[in-house]
Amino acid sequence: MKEFFVTFRSITFAQRGQAALRSGGISSSMARTPRWMEEKGCGYSLRVGGAHGQEAVALLKKRAIPYSKIYKQGESGEMEEIML
């Protein structure tokens, strides 16, 4: 199953994002962002199922929750930065 990863600069923004997604009926899991995904070397990310990736990003934008980058997992498992 394809997944989306939304990166955040702090745990606070990731927690706010996860709460917003939860209130919108979208499940996610939070984890430290892998170093290769994050320029600053620190941060957290939310993993969202592919069926809800675009909806999740739209909800974060609507609620003005700042995120850093969005990655989408491809068919063969590679991660690609995308713009939504």
Side-chain angles (χ1 to χ4, degrees), residues 3-9 29 31-48 67-74 77-82:
E3 295 179 307
F4 285 80
F5 289 79
V6 182
T7 65
F8 299 84
R9 292 190 65 193
S29 61
R32 293 280 301 180
T33 300
R35 284 187 182 259
W36 68 267
M37 277 188 189
E38 192 61 51
E39 299 166 352
K40 308 280 188 230
C42 63
Y44 287 81
S45 57
L46 295 179
R47 178 184 289 185
V48 179
Y67 59 88
S68 299
K69 296 182 179 182
I70 307 161
Y71 293 88
K72 182 179 180 183
Q73 186 177 32
E78 78 281 357
M79 300 299 288
E80 172 186 11
E81 184 179 354
I82 61 169

Side-chain angles (χ1 to χ4, degrees), residues 1-2 4 21 24-27 48-59:
M1 176 174 144
K2 293 185 232 175
F4 285 80
L21 296 182
I26 301 170
S27 67
V48 179
H52 299 288
Q54 292 181 334
E55 179 184 358
V57 172
L59 183 57

